Amino acid sequence: HTLFWSIMAPNAGSEPTGALSEAINQSFTDFDTFKKQFTAKAVGRFGSGWAWLVLKDHKLQLMDTANQDTPLSKGVISLLGLDVWEHAYYLKYQNRRVEYIENWWNVVNWPEVAKRFERR
């Protein structure tokens, strides 16, 4: 959860800039496509788990993991992670995972994600 909390900030949102933005565009065509594909990973994760933006072989990729599994165990670097365990959203959103994910985009701290990307 350290990564999860470190990449969020109140009223953050927006879109990434700089080298991270360029890498997203190169890997996913544009930010909107990336956002849709990431959201689909998060919505499609059956049961508890995570959706991830990872760096593998110097290329951005999306993945999801079950339960507490982490991309590190698969040898890739996590840049952005979304907790889709029910405990992450149930008090506010009950079973409305899609609404939780849509609102989560408003608190993604892209400068912090960019720092993680630049340290690669």
Side-chain angles (χ1 to χ4, degrees):
H1 279 94
T2 302
L3 171 67
F4 179 68
W5 293 114
S6 71
I7 54 88
M8 294 192 308
N11 302 315
S14 185
E15 293 185 18
T17 59
L20 178 58
S21 176
E22 291 172 17
I24 287 173
N25 291 341
Q26 184 177 24
S27 297
F28 304 101
T29 307
D30 56 36
F31 181 74
D32 287 335
T33 302
F34 156 72
K35 191 173 170 180
K36 286 176 188 167
Q37 290 179 7
F38 187 97
T39 297
K41 282 280 187 202
V43 170
R45 169 80 269 177
F46 179 77
S48 299
W50 294 78
W52 303 96
L53 172 65
V54 299
L55 189 61
K56 181 178 181 182
D57 301 326
H58 305 288
K59 184 172 172 141
L60 295 178
Q61 296 180 2
L62 298 177
M63 66 183 296
D64 62 293
T65 58
N67 303 315
Q68 73 284 348
D69 295 351
T70 172
L72 292 174
S73 66
K74 299 181 184 347
V76 297
I77 299 167
S78 327
L79 300 177
L80 178 68
L82 173 57
D83 183 350
V84 292
W85 281 65
E86 193 174 74
H87 69 243
Y89 58 88
Y90 192 81
L91 287 176
K92 184 169 184 172
Y93 296 100
Q94 288 80 44
N95 61 349
R96 300 183 317 272
R97 182 186 281 192
V98 173
E99 185 179 350
Y100 158 70
I101 295 166
E102 288 170 355
N103 288 316
W104 174 79
W105 288 107
N106 297 322
V107 296
V108 175
N109 184 351
W110 288 110
E112 186 61 34
V113 178
K115 283 182 202 173
R116 295 182 63 75
F117 176 71
E118 291 163 8
R119 283 188 234 139
R120 61 184 174 8

